Amino acid sequence: MENAANPSPIGFMKMHGAGNDFIIIDSRGRDSVVTQALARALGDRNRGVGFDQLAEIRDSQRGDFALDFWNSDGSRAGACGNATRCVCDFVMKGLGREQVSLVTARGDLQALRLADGRVSVNMGPPQRDWHEVPLARAVDTLHLPLAGDPVAIGMGNPHAVFFVPDAEAVDLAHLGPMVEHDPLYPERTNVEFASLIGPDHLRMRVWERGAGVTLACGSGTCATVVAAHLRGLTGRRVIVDVDGGVLEVDWREDGVWLTGPVAYVFDGVLTSAFLAAL
């Protein structure tokens, strides 16, 4: 019997999309089990499991399932495109289907599996008004009053997108946290640095709020393509090379579609001793 001193073990799964890695906990058919303390402990790559984001699958009356997201520092994330793609692949396999609907803080989303095995998710329309991103005050979101002239885009998470001559040369660990905590972003922000390497082809690197440098960021990739198109650098369908692989974004009338690979790493069980120590 479960008690505070001996909680029941919790099963989980590790997946990644283009190197963006996640812990996934399936809480369908029971109450939510994820707390800030659990997310922070699990996110520790030395004493826990380690992840960029944690995704908890929950029951939903509006869609096939609902998703909640947590960062590795224990804070909540409003959206996570690559984790969504991974979870959707898992759920589609379980349901024996090639398409699912889901509910997130970002809204009601649709996802499907392509013939080549990649998974696409509609991340919804971009948020372009300053109060939607959100920003602290009314400014031109296409040209923020910050050094480097970034673009502000919301994709469920706030983003600051910089276009630079060479994304490889950017010191993410130095510049990322400075922008993340800029007062213009009251909820902090993800930070992307992108350079044009060919027609409708970008190289992007990312610093995620609450996680730091990551190999990929789905909502960040979407925000970068939206910003690139608005700046006149690309069309609406763009290939993006990230540190962990290749993602594709297609900004359509019905929303911004993110497509890429998914990978299963392992299944595991969080022990009663680990959970009791939280």
Side-chain angles (χ1 to χ4, degrees):
M1 180 179 296
E2 179 178 355
N3 55 56
N6 189 35
S8 298
I10 297 174
F12 70 92
M13 179 169 49
K14 183 76 178 280
M15 296 186 71
H16 77 84
N20 200 186
D21 68 327
F22 317 105
I23 291 296
I24 298 167
I25 294 177
D26 190 349
S27 292
R28 288 175 293 180
R30 66 181 179 191
D31 292 335
S32 172
V33 297
V34 180
T35 63
Q36 183 182 52
L38 176 60
R40 188 185 300 116
L42 269 179
D44 188 320
R45 293 188 183 274
N46 300 111
R47 296 178 176 85
V49 180
F51 58 79
D52 293 332
Q53 277 81 34
L54 184 156
E56 185 178 28
I57 311 173
R58 298 185 295 100
D59 292 313
S60 172
Q61 294 183 344
R62 289 208 314 269
D64 292 312
F65 62 98
L67 268 183
D68 291 330
F69 303 106
W70 303 77
N71 294 312
S72 55
D73 68 351
S75 61
R76 295 296 293 266
C80 185
N82 286 321
T84 300
R85 294 190 309 97
C86 287
V87 172
C88 287
D89 188 71
F90 167 71
V91 173
M92 284 188 286
K93 288 180 177 177
L95 296 176
R97 289 162 49 186
E98 300 300 308
Q99 187 169 348
V100 288
S101 62
L102 63 147
V103 178
T104 73
R106 171 74 170 125
D108 296 357
L109 308 179
Q110 301 289 323
L112 55 89
R113 186 187 296 108
L114 304 183
D116 62 8
R118 293 183 303 161
V119 175
S120 292
V121 61
N122 184 351
M123 294 293 289
Q127 298 157 309
R128 298 170 55 189
D129 292 336
W130 70 272
H131 62 279
E132 292 179 323
V133 173
L135 300 176
R137 63 184 188 276
V139 296
D140 180 0
T141 56
L142 196 56
H143 295 279
L144 291 183
L146 298 177
D149 188 32
V151 181
I153 297 290
M155 287 298 309
N157 295 320
H159 296 271
V161 183
F162 293 79
F163 293 101
V164 297
D166 182 7
E168 301 283 355
V170 173
D171 186 349
L172 277 179
H174 174 68
L175 295 176
M178 293 174 57
V179 180
E180 176 190 354
H181 294 279
D182 190 281
L184 188 58
Y185 284 89
E187 297 179 7
R188 300 184 295 163
T189 185
N190 290 17
V191 188
E192 290 80 29
F193 294 91
S195 51
L196 188 67
I197 59 175
D200 294 334
H201 194 172
L202 295 170
R203 172 71 170 101
M204 188 203 80
R205 300 177 65 217
V206 60
W207 172 277
E208 294 195 58
R209 65 172 182 173
V213 177
T214 59
L215 297 183
C217 174
S219 65
T221 304
C222 293
T224 297
V225 170
V226 170
H229 179 72
L230 293 175
R231 284 278 184 94
L233 299 174
T234 68
R236 297 170 73 101
R237 185 171 184 174
V238 181
I239 299 297
V240 184
D241 295 349
V242 294
D243 285 349
V246 179
L247 297 169
E248 180 180 325
V249 174
D250 189 2
W251 183 10
R252 307 176 193 170
E253 292 301 317
D254 64 345
V256 184
W257 285 81
L258 173 71
T259 301
V262 300
Y264 292 79
V265 184
F266 61 84
D267 295 323
V269 176
L270 304 177
T271 67
S272 297
F274 176 83
L275 297 170
L278 297 178

